[in-house]
């Protein structure tokens, strides 16, 4: 008769079971780890010496062989009890071992199979917790991180859909970015019910959850938001602000939560995205922004009239219309209550659930019930304190925990005012530190210098105490660190209340560690926008420290990061940071760091559209470059001033500045500088209608680009040549040049660049009479521009579509879109080349000839009142109809 197949559970703890039989312990942890290794690689034969090296590396070969034999005997007793024949599960030869794949299944394999077939529901059901919690072998830690990363990469499960007409949308997945939570939530039923009532009350806009650190405000806000998803078709959006000290980050954080582009005005982009849809926004950890938030949020709320806000803070913010909702700790159990009643207490349930992560068989029993109830009362029912204490269940009995906590409470109670902070959290933190090895406790304190998280590599560079995957895992095991596995490498962080405590433990070493932290930031190269955003809070924290301790180092760090912040779209935050640091150097002392910082400030102002301030920064930059005698830097500053002049429509000044830059910069000039100088000179000459000179410079720009690996830099020169050819009446050459630019734009894969190129080719197709292809190109251009939030690109799309619609005999829509373009030009002070002005004037002159005054006035008024989202909806619908 065939034997039943064993099922091996490794997620959330060890369990081996088959019908009628369950095993929760083996002889040693090494035996469990050996079985897990064999089960994860069921089709491999494992050499005995390889296994000895992995599991008993400290032993000599003979001792290792003996240890392996003992472990194998323990596995045979568990897996092949009589009357099972030998080798029915575990196949062993003199040199190798393996499991019979058909004799045993694992929850890990089932989880990975569900992930692979994208069965989100089944994968999340199977993930009962971390892989072998409480085990610290290097390969086990790596496996924990790999599986947790796979879980975090899964999309959130949508809540069950409501029937149509009851707040849901027929099973449609509603938009949200609520964080994935990997642990169970206990209690708070009454609080969630009251919060639901408040957040759906049409007379309330702001509800603030208040309470001391560690009481579970963040988790309650997330669970409430998840419960309310169907009530808010605009989405439920979570913005974490614990590490933020600038109120501007509130709107930027919401923009990032909505995954909107970082170009353009953040509030405008958010308002356009959310519109009038009922939306819930959760702003988490606002207490450090109380004064600034009280000033910034009312205007924010006025712009988002259909949005409700759920805030979390240790104190009320004092906002107009704010409804304060204090939350207390979880209800406390009575030690004398019967076991059945204690089992329903939320504080005890939370403690036991988290304890099982450290000791899978942990539970509430008649023997430990009174002790656990007493311990939960000492922990005051505070969720964070309960989790910190429960993490030691694998090493201490409930009685030992209670005794140690009583002693620690007496010490901590003398150190801190009970009213100032929740005493139980601080006591639990100090107790945890005293139980950890000294080097890990020291590391915990040193990691508090990071803001916004850190990687293992960063911890190794900054901390003095050894930072390894093992030590970080130990801190995670005891709820002193959290980890995010959604990126390419794991990123660790501390809850703010934990970080505050850790910082207090630094003592006199704090200043030296913060200098190490700053030096680490000076030494790293952030290659991507994602890396720049990840280290933003670390940079801000380091700069705040350096402004007081070492202004010259602050300037040096600012000069290193400003370009990265520009690329990441952090315009407002970057300007605020640089202006603050530059104020420390009012006399502009000659310095390369000062020159780079001023140049970066000018670029940030330029991309924000504040050309006057950009010019001031570049003029200061030029003076500093002259003072230090850096001819190349002088040329760069003059080139930037020429670019400003082009943006302001002062083409004569632009030509002078750019020509001076060509003279100042020593030869051979860097290829990219050569490309930019010739391209901008071409633009200036084109605007002055000096077409032969423009052609010369655009051609030189294309030639110089041959020495640059990224051909994208030639795009503007190709389009410049196309514009010159059009002005000179050569439509075929013009289209050829614009298509060359389009091909390079597609290689670069930048939406704004692609959309610009498509619209220029569409213009050529209109001039050739191919209106259908022109419409297709404009439709694709709209798809690219929609994500960019670039006002001039939107204006060009309006103008070209209006021109197409006049040719297609749809003048009403042409008038509407042309009016929206007029609105963009007036609102955002967009400067137009002469050719664009002439083309627009032709359409303006044509429309009164083919529309009645009443219809024209109506469409012009409608276009002026369009929002960006409505414009794109109407434009796409119109082009789709044209192409049908």
């Amino acid at each position: 008769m065939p034997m039943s197949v064993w099922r091996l559970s490794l997620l959330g703890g060890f369990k081996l079971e088959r019908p009628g039989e369950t095993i929760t312990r083996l002889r040693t942890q090494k035996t469990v780890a050996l079985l897990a290794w064999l089960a994860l690689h069921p089709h491999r034969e494992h050499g005995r010496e390889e296994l000895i090296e992995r599991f008993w590396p400290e032993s000599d070969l003979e001792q290792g062989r003996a240890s392996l034999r003992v472990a194998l005997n323990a596995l045979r007793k568990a897996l092949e009890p009589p009357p099972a024949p030998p080798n029915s599960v575990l196949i062993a030869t003199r040199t190798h071992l393996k499991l019979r794949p058909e004799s045993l299944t694992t929850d890990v394999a089932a989880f990975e199979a569900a992930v692979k077939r994208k069965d989100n529901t089944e994968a999340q059901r199977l993930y009962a917790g971390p892989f072998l919690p409480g085990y610290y072998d290097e390969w086990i830690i790596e496996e924990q991180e790999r599986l947790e990363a796979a879980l975090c990469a899964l999309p959130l499960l949508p809540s069950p859909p409501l029937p149509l007409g009851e707040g849901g949308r027929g099973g449609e997945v509603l938009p949200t970015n609520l964080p994935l939570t990997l642990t169970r939530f206990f209690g708070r039923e009454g609080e969630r019910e009251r919060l639901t009532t408040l957040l759906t009350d049409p007379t309330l806009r702001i509800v603030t959850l208040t309470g001391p650190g560690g009481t579970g405000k963040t988790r309650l806000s997330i669970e409430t938001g998840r419960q309310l998803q169907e009530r808010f078709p605009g989405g439920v959006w979570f913005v974490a602000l614990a590490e933020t000290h600038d109120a501007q980050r509130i709107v930027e954080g919401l923009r990032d939560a909505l995954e909107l582009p970082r170009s353009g005005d953040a509030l405008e982009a958010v308002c356009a995205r959310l519109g009038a849809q009922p939306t819930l926004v959760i702003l988490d950890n606002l207490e450090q922004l109380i004064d600034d938030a009280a000033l910034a949020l009312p205007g924010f709320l006025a712009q988002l009239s259909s949005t409700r806000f759920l805030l979390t803070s240790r104190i009320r913010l004092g906002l107009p219309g704010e409804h304060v909702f204090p939350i207390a700790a979880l209800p406390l159990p009575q030690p004398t209550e019967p076991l059945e009643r204690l089992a329903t207490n939320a504080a005890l349930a939370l403690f036991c659930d988290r304890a099982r992560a450290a000791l899978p068989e942990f539970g509430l029993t008649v023997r430990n019930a009174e002790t656990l109830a007493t311990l939960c009362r000492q922990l005051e029912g505070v969720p964070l304190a309960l989790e910190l204490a429960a993490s030691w269940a694998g090493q201490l009995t409930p009685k030992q925990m209670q005794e140690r906590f009583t002693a620690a409470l007496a010490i901590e109670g003398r150190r801190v005012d009970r009213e100032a902070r929740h005493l139980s959290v601080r006591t639990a933190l100090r107790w945890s530190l005293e139980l950890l090895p000294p080097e890990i406790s020291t590391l915990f304190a040193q990691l508090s210098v990071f803001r916004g998280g850190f990687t293992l590599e960063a911890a190794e560079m900054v901390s003095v105490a050894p930072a390894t995957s093992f030590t970080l895992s130990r801190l995670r095991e005891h709820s002193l660190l959290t980890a995010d596995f959604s990126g390419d490498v794991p990123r660790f962080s501390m809850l703010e209340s934990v970080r505050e405590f850790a910082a207090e433990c630094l003592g006199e070493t704090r200043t030296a560690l913060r200098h190490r932290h700053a030096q680490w930031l000076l030494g790293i190269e952030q290659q991507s926008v994602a890396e720049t955003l990840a280290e933003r809070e670390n940079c801000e924290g380091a700069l705040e420290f350096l402004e007081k301790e070492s202004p010259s180092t602050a300037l040096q760090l600012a000069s290193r990061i400003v370009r990265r912040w520009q690329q990441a779209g952090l315009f407002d935050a970057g300007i605020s940071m640089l202006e603050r640091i530059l104020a420390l150097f009012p006399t502009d002392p000659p310095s390369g760091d000062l020159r780079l910082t001023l140049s970066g400030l000018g670029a940030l102002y330029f991309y924000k559209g504040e050309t006057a301030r950009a010019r001031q920064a570049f003029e200061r930059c030029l003076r500093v470059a002259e003072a230090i005698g850096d001819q190349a830097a002088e040329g760069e500053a003059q080139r930037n001033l020429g670019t400003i002049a082009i943006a302001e429509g002062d083409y004569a000044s632009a030509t002078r500045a750019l020509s001076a830059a060509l003279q100042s910069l020593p030869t051979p000039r860097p290829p990219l500088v050569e490309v930019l100088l010739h391209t901008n000179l071409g633009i200036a000459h084109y605007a002055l209608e000096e077409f032969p000179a423009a052609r010369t410079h655009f051609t030189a720009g294309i030639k110089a680009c041959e020495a640059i690996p990224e051909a994208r830099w030639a795009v503007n020169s190709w389009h410049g040549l196309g514009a010159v050819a059009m002005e000179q009446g050569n439509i075929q050459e013009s289209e050829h040049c614009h298509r060359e630019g389009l091909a390079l734009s597609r290689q670069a894969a930048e939406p704004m660049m692609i959309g610009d190129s498509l619209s220029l080719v569409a213009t050529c197709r209109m001039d050739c009479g191919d209106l259908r292809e022109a419409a297709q190109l404009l439709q694709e251009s709209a798809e690219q521009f929609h994500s960019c939030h670039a006002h001039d690109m939107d204006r060009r799309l309006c103008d070209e579509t209006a021109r197409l619609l006049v040719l297609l005999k749809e003048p009403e829509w042409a008038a509407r879109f042309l009016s929206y373009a007029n609105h963009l030009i007036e609102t955002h002070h967009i400067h137009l080349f002469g050719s664009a002005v002439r083309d627009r004037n032709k359409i303006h002159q044509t429309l009164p000839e083919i529309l009645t005054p009443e219809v024209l006035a109506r469409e012009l008024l409608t276009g002026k009142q369009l929002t960006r989202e409505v414009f794109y909806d109407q434009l796409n619908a119109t082009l789709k109809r044209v192409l049908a």
Side-chain angles (χ1 to χ4, degrees):
M1 178 179 177
M3 302 298 295
S4 300
V5 175
W6 286 104
R7 173 177 170 76
L8 175 61
S9 297
L10 300 168
L11 295 171
F14 167 75
K15 184 163 64 173
L16 190 60
E17 56 188 332
R18 63 182 179 183
E21 191 171 358
T22 300
I23 299 172
T24 58
R25 286 180 179 274
L26 292 177
R27 182 177 177 277
T28 64
Q29 277 200 343
K30 278 276 199 289
T31 308
V32 173
L34 174 62
L35 175 59
W37 179 260
L38 296 174
L40 290 185
H41 308 90
H43 298 285
R44 267 187 57 194
E45 287 193 343
H46 305 268
R48 286 179 177 257
E49 292 189 6
E50 169 204 332
L51 294 173
I52 291 168
E53 180 63 29
R54 175 173 293 279
F55 292 99
W56 294 277
E58 71 285 353
S59 302
D60 60 32
L61 187 57
E62 285 306 314
Q63 289 175 326
R65 285 172 178 164
S67 298
L68 179 59
R69 282 195 299 271
V70 171
L72 289 178
N73 286 333
L75 286 179
R76 285 202 184 282
K77 287 181 180 178
L79 296 170
E80 299 173 349
N87 296 326
S88 59
V89 179
L90 185 62
I91 303 172
T93 69
R94 292 176 60 84
T95 58
H96 288 80
L97 301 172
K98 71 170 292 189
L99 290 174
R100 287 191 185 275
E102 67 275 12
S103 67
L104 182 143
T105 65
T106 68
D107 56 350
V108 173
F111 168 76
E112 291 182 310
V115 170
K116 187 173 182 179
R117 65 176 183 267
K118 299 182 179 179
D119 188 344
N120 185 17
T121 304
E122 179 66 3
Q124 295 200 23
R125 184 191 70 78
L126 286 164
Y127 193 91
F131 177 80
L132 287 181
Y135 288 68
Y136 300 108
D137 293 33
E138 192 75 24
W139 73 270
I140 291 177
I141 293 170
E142 291 172 0
E143 194 69 11
Q144 288 171 349
E145 293 173 352
R146 183 183 70 82
L147 294 170
E148 194 166 339
L151 177 69
C152 292
L154 292 172
L156 288 172
L157 287 172
S159 300
L162 292 177
L164 285 176
E166 295 185 21
R169 297 189 288 184
E172 179 181 345
V173 178
L174 294 173
T176 186
N177 73 326
L178 286 171
L180 177 67
T181 52
L182 303 179
T183 54
R184 295 173 62 195
F185 185 68
F186 293 91
R188 306 290 193 196
E189 292 85 1
E191 288 94 332
R192 280 186 282 175
E193 184 177 340
R194 292 197 297 276
L195 281 171
T196 297
T197 301
L198 292 171
L199 291 168
T200 54
D201 183 338
T203 66
L204 291 177
R205 294 285 310 284
I206 311 170
V207 177
T208 303
L209 288 177
T210 61
T215 48
K217 300 183 294 296
T218 297
R219 184 64 184 270
L220 177 58
S221 72
I222 291 170
E223 297 300 328
T224 302
R226 210 181 310 283
Q227 185 173 299
L228 287 171
Q229 278 184 265
E230 290 84 359
R231 305 287 189 96
F232 293 97
V236 177
W237 304 103
F238 182 87
V239 183
L241 298 166
E243 302 284 354
T244 299
H245 296 269
D246 179 1
Q248 177 64 32
R249 290 288 305 280
I250 297 173
V251 65
E252 290 179 2
L254 182 52
R255 177 187 62 188
D256 293 344
L258 293 166
E259 297 185 350
L260 298 174
R262 290 181 162 270
S263 56
D265 182 79
L267 181 56
E268 182 180 313
V270 167
C271 293
R273 165 68 175 77
L274 296 179
Q277 296 184 97
T279 303
L280 176 63
V281 172
I282 301 172
L283 302 179
D284 185 46
N285 281 302
L286 271 171
E287 56 268 1
Q288 75 280 5
L289 294 171
I290 183 168
D291 294 329
D292 292 339
L295 295 173
L297 277 176
F300 193 22
L301 269 66
Q303 297 270 7
L304 295 168
S305 57
S306 298
T307 299
R308 308 287 170 83
F309 289 83
L310 176 58
L311 317 179
T312 75
S313 172
R314 297 185 192 181
I315 52 177
R316 66 178 300 160
L317 275 74
L319 295 167
E322 176 185 17
H323 183 99
V324 178
F325 189 100
I327 68 166
L330 293 171
L332 299 177
Q334 294 294 333
T336 56
E337 288 180 325
L339 185 64
E340 296 75 14
R341 185 168 179 80
L342 287 174
T344 65
N345 178 266
L348 263 173
L350 172 63
F351 184 95
C352 292
D353 180 79
R354 303 305 191 259
R356 276 190 285 274
L359 187 66
E361 60 268 29
F362 189 92
L364 183 68
T365 67
V366 173
R367 292 183 61 190
N368 67 19
E370 184 176 349
T371 300
L372 286 177
T374 301
L375 179 59
C376 287
R377 292 183 67 84
Q378 288 178 311
L379 294 165
E380 299 176 313
V382 178
L384 176 57
L386 291 165
E387 293 193 10
L388 288 165
S391 69
W392 290 98
Q395 299 175 44
L396 299 173
T397 66
K399 185 67 175 174
Q400 288 174 313
M401 290 188 217
Q402 196 247 323
E403 290 171 350
R404 285 175 179 267
F405 189 85
T406 300
L409 185 63
I411 297 171
E412 192 63 28
R414 294 194 295 269
R415 289 178 174 165
V416 64
D417 176 7
R418 189 179 182 87
E419 296 301 314
R421 298 184 184 174
H422 234 303
L423 186 58
S424 61
V425 173
R426 294 178 57 81
T427 305
L429 285 166
R430 191 169 298 283
W431 170 41
S432 290
L433 287 192
E434 289 170 355
L435 289 171
L436 286 168
E439 66 274 13
I440 297 182
S441 298
T442 302
L443 174 66
F444 167 72
Q446 292 175 355
L447 294 175
S448 68
V449 299
F450 289 101
R451 287 190 186 175
F454 55 91
T455 63
L456 171 59
E457 182 181 5
E460 290 171 339
M461 297 288 290
V462 173
S463 64
V464 178
T468 65
S469 57
F470 169 75
T471 53
L472 295 185
S473 292
R474 287 296 305 274
L475 291 173
R476 283 186 62 219
E477 288 282 341
H478 297 293
S479 300
L480 299 173
L481 282 184
T482 60
D484 177 6
F485 296 96
S486 59
D488 293 335
V489 295
R491 196 166 177 84
F492 303 90
S493 59
M494 293 180 181
L495 296 174
E496 186 59 19
S497 54
V498 175
R499 195 178 73 82
E500 288 176 0
F501 178 85
E504 291 176 16
C505 299
L506 276 178
E508 297 178 355
T509 64
R510 179 180 299 148
T511 299
L513 273 165
R514 296 203 69 176
H515 276 294
R516 286 175 66 92
H517 178 251
Q519 290 301 316
W520 162 69
L521 286 167
L522 281 167
I524 63 173
E525 286 294 332
Q526 295 162 13
Q527 300 294 335
S528 67
V529 169
E531 289 173 314
T532 298
L533 296 175
E535 303 304 348
R536 175 179 175 177
E537 284 86 0
N538 275 315
C539 289
E540 289 176 334
L543 286 168
E544 287 175 14
F545 167 73
L546 292 171
E547 284 173 48
K548 299 174 182 177
E549 292 289 326
S550 178
S552 61
T553 310
L555 186 66
Q556 184 184 9
L557 180 57
S559 71
R560 298 282 181 88
I561 65 176
V562 62
R563 296 290 184 191
R564 304 171 197 152
W565 281 37
Q566 174 193 321
Q567 292 164 359
L570 301 175
F571 303 141
D572 292 320
I575 288 169
S576 174
M577 171 189 73
L578 295 184
E579 290 284 19
R580 198 175 64 241
I581 292 170
L582 288 169
L584 302 173
F585 302 90
T587 59
D588 287 353
S591 155
D593 290 332
L594 182 62
R595 181 193 70 78
L596 288 170
T597 303
L598 286 166
S599 180
L601 178 64
L604 291 172
Y605 274 128
F606 176 76
Y607 284 108
K608 270 205 75 184
E610 298 183 33
T611 53
R613 291 184 173 178
R615 190 190 322 104
Q616 291 173 0
F618 286 135
E619 287 171 347
R620 285 179 66 187
C621 179
L622 178 58
R623 290 195 294 271
V624 172
E626 290 169 345
I628 61 179
D630 188 334
Q631 191 175 9
E634 289 179 46
E636 182 186 339
Q638 288 164 333
R639 177 177 63 79
N640 288 330
L641 288 168
T643 303
I644 295 293
I646 289 174
E648 293 178 330
D650 186 356
Y651 302 112
S653 295
T655 303
R656 287 193 297 272
L658 293 167
S659 297
L662 269 177
Q663 296 298 319
S664 297
L665 287 166
T667 54
R669 289 180 285 268
L672 180 55
V673 172
E674 190 87 1
V675 171
L676 295 174
L677 280 170
H678 282 297
T679 302
N680 287 344
L681 271 167
I683 292 170
H685 284 296
Y686 173 82
L688 294 169
E689 301 190 353
E690 298 169 355
F691 300 126
R695 180 182 284 275
T696 298
H697 284 294
F698 286 136
T699 303
I702 293 169
K703 179 69 175 173
C705 203
E706 293 174 0
I708 300 175
E710 293 182 82
R712 62 188 292 276
W713 294 105
V715 169
N716 286 336
S717 287
W718 276 114
H719 288 323
L721 272 183
V724 169
M726 183 68 75
E727 291 294 332
Q728 294 177 332
N730 191 334
I731 296 176
Q732 286 187 331
E733 182 193 0
S734 177
E735 182 172 348
H736 167 75
C737 292
H738 288 316
R739 286 194 181 275
E740 288 287 336
L742 174 58
L744 295 176
S745 296
R746 291 195 190 279
Q747 287 180 25
E750 293 186 14
M752 189 183 301
M753 191 179 287
I754 296 170
D756 187 26
S757 300
L758 286 164
S759 69
L760 291 168
V761 177
T763 302
C764 294
R765 297 317 299 153
M766 276 188 266
D767 288 337
C768 293
D770 188 348
L771 303 187
R772 182 172 184 80
E773 186 180 359
Q776 290 172 335
L777 290 163
L778 288 173
Q779 188 178 47
E780 188 181 350
S781 177
E783 292 173 3
Q784 300 292 333
F785 281 153
H786 189 206
S787 65
C788 297
H789 291 268
H791 306 304
D792 190 36
M793 298 297 105
D794 292 346
R795 187 276 313 165
R796 177 181 293 175
L797 188 60
C798 287
D799 285 349
E800 296 306 321
T801 305
R803 183 179 171 216
L804 174 68
L805 293 171
V806 167
L807 295 172
L808 290 169
K809 313 299 184 188
E810 295 207 21
E812 293 92 343
W813 286 102
R816 182 177 298 188
F817 294 152
L818 194 66
S819 177
Y820 181 61
N822 293 340
H823 166 69
L824 291 174
I825 292 167
E826 294 167 6
T827 303
H828 301 290
H829 310 290
I830 298 171
H831 184 82
L832 302 179
F833 291 133
S835 57
V837 173
R838 290 193 294 272
D839 289 342
R840 300 186 89 253
N841 286 340
K842 288 177 185 176
I843 303 174
H844 275 294
Q845 292 164 7
T846 302
L847 289 173
E849 299 173 4
I850 51 181
L851 289 174
T852 65
E854 294 80 10
V855 172
L856 179 59
R858 183 194 70 208
E859 294 301 328
L860 291 175
L861 178 61
T862 302
K864 186 177 182 180
Q865 295 173 339
L866 290 177
T867 65
R868 187 174 188 270
E869 287 301 311
V870 172
F871 158 66
Y872 269 93
D873 287 344
Q874 293 186 359
L875 176 109
N876 285 321
T878 303
L879 291 173
K880 187 176 181 180
R881 187 182 70 254
V882 165
L883 290 166

